[in-house]
Amino acid sequence: MIVRDFHKLKDTDRAVSDARWTSVRMLLADDGMGFSFHITVLQAGSEHTFHYKHHFESVYCISGKGSITDLASGETYQIRPGVMYALDQHDHHTLRAEEELVMACCFNPPVTGTEVHREDGSYAPVEELAD
């Protein structure tokens, strides 16, 4: 059994920050669960464009208000507590935080905790990280 406290992890190397967001990685690849689990906070007024070409991601909004735009279709969806979205087609998207957004996120394959967003908004494929 793995038991971790978000409040204790947020001041460790499992807390990663960049471009007006912070992500606390509660589960990582080396935990052996087959997915990673993060609590991510996006600052109010921030906008983020991502394209996880090598990962699937599902996200559940815990608190806050914002929107997500599918950049392929141009369709925009409202994000609020209780809303989940899944990037099941490696969807290129823009996430906007009207208020501070607190999100629970799962990645498959799991992230290692050392990833950084590339210029195109993606993480490197797992095979590249192993090299």
PDB file of all heavy atoms in Angstrom, residues 48-66:
ATOM      1  N   HIS A  48      -2.370  27.909 -20.891  1.00  0.00           N
ATOM      2  CA  HIS A  48      -1.356  26.884 -21.124  1.00  0.00           C
ATOM      3  C   HIS A  48      -1.736  26.056 -22.343  1.00  0.00           C
ATOM      4  O   HIS A  48      -2.860  25.557 -22.421  1.00  0.00           O
ATOM      5  CB  HIS A  48      -1.254  25.952 -19.911  1.00  0.00           C
ATOM      6  CG  HIS A  48      -1.180  26.707 -18.621  1.00  0.00           C
ATOM      7  ND1 HIS A  48       0.009  27.101 -18.067  1.00  0.00           N
ATOM      8  CD2 HIS A  48      -2.151  27.182 -17.807  1.00  0.00           C
ATOM      9  CE1 HIS A  48      -0.224  27.763 -16.945  1.00  0.00           C
ATOM     10  NE2 HIS A  48      -1.538  27.831 -16.775  1.00  0.00           N
ATOM     11  N   THR A  49      -0.818  25.915 -23.278  1.00  0.00           N
ATOM     12  CA  THR A  49      -1.055  25.073 -24.446  1.00  0.00           C
ATOM     13  C   THR A  49      -0.153  23.851 -24.341  1.00  0.00           C
ATOM     14  O   THR A  49       1.067  23.977 -24.204  1.00  0.00           O
ATOM     15  CB  THR A  49      -0.800  25.851 -25.751  1.00  0.00           C
ATOM     16  OG1 THR A  49      -1.720  26.952 -25.798  1.00  0.00           O
ATOM     17  CG2 THR A  49      -1.014  24.965 -26.965  1.00  0.00           C
ATOM     18  N   PHE A  50      -0.788  22.678 -24.381  1.00  0.00           N
ATOM     19  CA  PHE A  50      -0.085  21.403 -24.258  1.00  0.00           C
ATOM     20  C   PHE A  50      -0.490  20.481 -25.398  1.00  0.00           C
ATOM     21  O   PHE A  50      -1.581  20.607 -25.970  1.00  0.00           O
ATOM     22  CB  PHE A  50      -0.428  20.715 -22.927  1.00  0.00           C
ATOM     23  CG  PHE A  50      -0.082  21.511 -21.701  1.00  0.00           C
ATOM     24  CD1 PHE A  50      -1.069  21.866 -20.802  1.00  0.00           C
ATOM     25  CD2 PHE A  50       1.222  21.894 -21.424  1.00  0.00           C
ATOM     26  CE1 PHE A  50      -0.771  22.582 -19.650  1.00  0.00           C
ATOM     27  CE2 PHE A  50       1.541  22.617 -20.285  1.00  0.00           C
ATOM     28  CZ  PHE A  50       0.544  22.957 -19.390  1.00  0.00           C
ATOM     29  N   HIS A  51       0.387  19.535 -25.687  1.00  0.00           N
ATOM     30  CA  HIS A  51       0.098  18.528 -26.707  1.00  0.00           C
ATOM     31  C   HIS A  51       0.836  17.252 -26.304  1.00  0.00           C
ATOM     32  O   HIS A  51       1.969  17.031 -26.717  1.00  0.00           O
ATOM     33  CB  HIS A  51       0.550  19.022 -28.078  1.00  0.00           C
ATOM     34  CG  HIS A  51       0.061  18.183 -29.198  1.00  0.00           C
ATOM     35  ND1 HIS A  51       0.471  18.366 -30.485  1.00  0.00           N
ATOM     36  CD2 HIS A  51      -0.816  17.147 -29.238  1.00  0.00           C
ATOM     37  CE1 HIS A  51      -0.124  17.506 -31.268  1.00  0.00           C
ATOM     38  NE2 HIS A  51      -0.902  16.739 -30.529  1.00  0.00           N
ATOM     39  N   TYR A  52       0.193  16.440 -25.496  1.00  0.00           N
ATOM     40  CA  TYR A  52       0.809  15.214 -24.990  1.00  0.00           C
ATOM     41  C   TYR A  52       0.751  14.142 -26.063  1.00  0.00           C
ATOM     42  O   TYR A  52      -0.140  13.300 -26.085  1.00  0.00           O
ATOM     43  CB  TYR A  52       0.147  14.777 -23.683  1.00  0.00           C
ATOM     44  CG  TYR A  52       0.328  15.793 -22.580  1.00  0.00           C
ATOM     45  CD1 TYR A  52      -0.754  16.409 -21.983  1.00  0.00           C
ATOM     46  CD2 TYR A  52       1.607  16.168 -22.177  1.00  0.00           C
ATOM     47  CE1 TYR A  52      -0.584  17.358 -20.995  1.00  0.00           C
ATOM     48  CE2 TYR A  52       1.794  17.120 -21.192  1.00  0.00           C
ATOM     49  CZ  TYR A  52       0.693  17.703 -20.600  1.00  0.00           C
ATOM     50  OH  TYR A  52       0.875  18.653 -19.626  1.00  0.00           O
ATOM     51  N   LYS A  53       1.712  14.175 -26.976  1.00  0.00           N
ATOM     52  CA  LYS A  53       1.752  13.277 -28.127  1.00  0.00           C
ATOM     53  C   LYS A  53       2.069  11.842 -27.738  1.00  0.00           C
ATOM     54  O   LYS A  53       1.783  10.921 -28.493  1.00  0.00           O
ATOM     55  CB  LYS A  53       2.819  13.760 -29.114  1.00  0.00           C
ATOM     56  CG  LYS A  53       2.578  15.134 -29.659  1.00  0.00           C
ATOM     57  CD  LYS A  53       3.754  15.562 -30.522  1.00  0.00           C
ATOM     58  CE  LYS A  53       3.585  16.961 -31.032  1.00  0.00           C
ATOM     59  NZ  LYS A  53       4.729  17.371 -31.859  1.00  0.00           N
ATOM     60  N   HIS A  54       2.668  11.655 -26.578  1.00  0.00           N
ATOM     61  CA  HIS A  54       3.137  10.328 -26.171  1.00  0.00           C
ATOM     62  C   HIS A  54       2.458   9.833 -24.901  1.00  0.00           C
ATOM     63  O   HIS A  54       2.828   8.790 -24.371  1.00  0.00           O
ATOM     64  CB  HIS A  54       4.654  10.359 -25.971  1.00  0.00           C
ATOM     65  CG  HIS A  54       5.369  11.018 -27.111  1.00  0.00           C
ATOM     66  ND1 HIS A  54       5.497  10.426 -28.350  1.00  0.00           N
ATOM     67  CD2 HIS A  54       5.942  12.230 -27.219  1.00  0.00           C
ATOM     68  CE1 HIS A  54       6.143  11.247 -29.164  1.00  0.00           C
ATOM     69  NE2 HIS A  54       6.431  12.348 -28.494  1.00  0.00           N
ATOM     70  N   HIS A  55       1.522  10.592 -24.389  1.00  0.00           N
ATOM     71  CA  HIS A  55       0.835  10.248 -23.139  1.00  0.00           C
ATOM     72  C   HIS A  55      -0.667  10.488 -23.304  1.00  0.00           C
ATOM     73  O   HIS A  55      -1.081  11.372 -24.050  1.00  0.00           O
ATOM     74  CB  HIS A  55       1.326  11.125 -21.983  1.00  0.00           C
ATOM     75  CG  HIS A  55       2.761  10.935 -21.644  1.00  0.00           C
ATOM     76  ND1 HIS A  55       3.771  11.522 -22.376  1.00  0.00           N
ATOM     77  CD2 HIS A  55       3.347  10.221 -20.667  1.00  0.00           C
ATOM     78  CE1 HIS A  55       4.935  11.169 -21.845  1.00  0.00           C
ATOM     79  NE2 HIS A  55       4.707  10.386 -20.816  1.00  0.00           N
ATOM     80  N   PHE A  56      -1.442   9.718 -22.585  1.00  0.00           N
ATOM     81  CA  PHE A  56      -2.855  10.001 -22.402  1.00  0.00           C
ATOM     82  C   PHE A  56      -2.979  10.673 -21.036  1.00  0.00           C
ATOM     83  O   PHE A  56      -2.235  10.350 -20.113  1.00  0.00           O
ATOM     84  CB  PHE A  56      -3.697   8.718 -22.425  1.00  0.00           C
ATOM     85  CG  PHE A  56      -3.682   8.034 -23.759  1.00  0.00           C
ATOM     86  CD1 PHE A  56      -2.962   6.865 -23.943  1.00  0.00           C
ATOM     87  CD2 PHE A  56      -4.390   8.562 -24.828  1.00  0.00           C
ATOM     88  CE1 PHE A  56      -2.951   6.231 -25.164  1.00  0.00           C
ATOM     89  CE2 PHE A  56      -4.381   7.933 -26.062  1.00  0.00           C
ATOM     90  CZ  PHE A  56      -3.659   6.757 -26.235  1.00  0.00           C
ATOM     91  N   GLU A  57      -3.938  11.592 -20.935  1.00  0.00           N
ATOM     92  CA  GLU A  57      -4.145  12.275 -19.657  1.00  0.00           C
ATOM     93  C   GLU A  57      -5.636  12.395 -19.394  1.00  0.00           C
ATOM     94  O   GLU A  57      -6.414  12.681 -20.304  1.00  0.00           O
ATOM     95  CB  GLU A  57      -3.526  13.680 -19.673  1.00  0.00           C
ATOM     96  CG  GLU A  57      -3.672  14.392 -18.334  1.00  0.00           C
ATOM     97  CD  GLU A  57      -3.283  15.858 -18.363  1.00  0.00           C
ATOM     98  OE1 GLU A  57      -3.373  16.497 -19.433  1.00  0.00           O
ATOM     99  OE2 GLU A  57      -2.911  16.380 -17.298  1.00  0.00           O
ATOM    100  N   SER A  58      -6.024  12.158 -18.152  1.00  0.00           N
ATOM    101  CA  SER A  58      -7.382  12.483 -17.713  1.00  0.00           C
ATOM    102  C   SER A  58      -7.256  13.443 -16.543  1.00  0.00           C
ATOM    103  O   SER A  58      -6.332  13.345 -15.731  1.00  0.00           O
ATOM    104  CB  SER A  58      -8.176  11.235 -17.319  1.00  0.00           C
ATOM    105  OG  SER A  58      -7.582  10.601 -16.220  1.00  0.00           O
ATOM    106  N   VAL A  59      -8.194  14.401 -16.491  1.00  0.00           N
ATOM    107  CA  VAL A  59      -8.114  15.484 -15.517  1.00  0.00           C
ATOM    108  C   VAL A  59      -9.495  15.712 -14.910  1.00  0.00           C
ATOM    109  O   VAL A  59     -10.488  15.798 -15.633  1.00  0.00           O
ATOM    110  CB  VAL A  59      -7.613  16.788 -16.183  1.00  0.00           C
ATOM    111  CG1 VAL A  59      -7.554  17.925 -15.186  1.00  0.00           C
ATOM    112  CG2 VAL A  59      -6.260  16.569 -16.847  1.00  0.00           C
ATOM    113  N   TYR A  60      -9.543  15.843 -13.589  1.00  0.00           N
ATOM    114  CA  TYR A  60     -10.775  16.111 -12.863  1.00  0.00           C
ATOM    115  C   TYR A  60     -10.607  17.430 -12.117  1.00  0.00           C
ATOM    116  O   TYR A  60      -9.615  17.621 -11.394  1.00  0.00           O
ATOM    117  CB  TYR A  60     -11.061  14.978 -11.874  1.00  0.00           C
ATOM    118  CG  TYR A  60     -12.279  15.203 -11.020  1.00  0.00           C
ATOM    119  CD1 TYR A  60     -13.552  14.948 -11.511  1.00  0.00           C
ATOM    120  CD2 TYR A  60     -12.168  15.698  -9.723  1.00  0.00           C
ATOM    121  CE1 TYR A  60     -14.680  15.164 -10.731  1.00  0.00           C
ATOM    122  CE2 TYR A  60     -13.281  15.914  -8.937  1.00  0.00           C
ATOM    123  CZ  TYR A  60     -14.538  15.644  -9.449  1.00  0.00           C
ATOM    124  OH  TYR A  60     -15.650  15.864  -8.680  1.00  0.00           O
ATOM    125  N   CYS A  61     -11.557  18.339 -12.283  1.00  0.00           N
ATOM    126  CA  CYS A  61     -11.491  19.638 -11.619  1.00  0.00           C
ATOM    127  C   CYS A  61     -12.021  19.532 -10.188  1.00  0.00           C
ATOM    128  O   CYS A  61     -13.187  19.189  -9.980  1.00  0.00           O
ATOM    129  CB  CYS A  61     -12.289  20.679 -12.403  1.00  0.00           C
ATOM    130  SG  CYS A  61     -12.244  22.320 -11.651  1.00  0.00           S
ATOM    131  N   ILE A  62     -11.153  19.850  -9.237  1.00  0.00           N
ATOM    132  CA  ILE A  62     -11.518  19.862  -7.820  1.00  0.00           C
ATOM    133  C   ILE A  62     -12.112  21.214  -7.439  1.00  0.00           C
ATOM    134  O   ILE A  62     -13.129  21.284  -6.757  1.00  0.00           O
ATOM    135  CB  ILE A  62     -10.287  19.549  -6.947  1.00  0.00           C
ATOM    136  CG1 ILE A  62      -9.774  18.136  -7.256  1.00  0.00           C
ATOM    137  CG2 ILE A  62     -10.613  19.716  -5.469  1.00  0.00           C
ATOM    138  CD1 ILE A  62      -8.412  17.825  -6.652  1.00  0.00           C
ATOM    139  N   SER A  63     -11.457  22.294  -7.899  1.00  0.00           N
ATOM    140  CA  SER A  63     -11.961  23.636  -7.602  1.00  0.00           C
ATOM    141  C   SER A  63     -11.494  24.615  -8.664  1.00  0.00           C
ATOM    142  O   SER A  63     -10.516  24.364  -9.371  1.00  0.00           O
ATOM    143  CB  SER A  63     -11.519  24.096  -6.207  1.00  0.00           C
ATOM    144  OG  SER A  63     -10.119  24.272  -6.157  1.00  0.00           O
ATOM    145  N   GLY A  64     -12.211  25.741  -8.749  1.00  0.00           N
ATOM    146  CA  GLY A  64     -11.856  26.794  -9.686  1.00  0.00           C
ATOM    147  C   GLY A  64     -12.758  26.816 -10.902  1.00  0.00           C
ATOM    148  O   GLY A  64     -13.747  26.080 -10.993  1.00  0.00           O
ATOM    149  N   LYS A  65     -12.376  27.680 -11.847  1.00  0.00           N
ATOM    150  CA  LYS A  65     -13.179  27.873 -13.041  1.00  0.00           C
ATOM    151  C   LYS A  65     -12.258  28.199 -14.199  1.00  0.00           C
ATOM    152  O   LYS A  65     -11.307  28.970 -14.047  1.00  0.00           O
ATOM    153  CB  LYS A  65     -14.154  29.029 -12.808  1.00  0.00           C
ATOM    154  CG  LYS A  65     -15.063  29.342 -13.954  1.00  0.00           C
ATOM    155  CD  LYS A  65     -15.975  30.516 -13.578  1.00  0.00           C
ATOM    156  CE  LYS A  65     -16.773  30.984 -14.777  1.00  0.00           C
ATOM    157  NZ  LYS A  65     -17.549  32.186 -14.461  1.00  0.00           N
ATOM    158  N   GLY A  66     -12.538  27.598 -15.356  1.00  0.00           N
ATOM    159  CA  GLY A  66     -11.730  27.863 -16.539  1.00  0.00           C
ATOM    160  C   GLY A  66     -12.348  27.235 -17.758  1.00  0.00           C
ATOM    161  O   GLY A  66     -13.549  26.954 -17.796  1.00  0.00           O
TER     162      GLY A  66
END
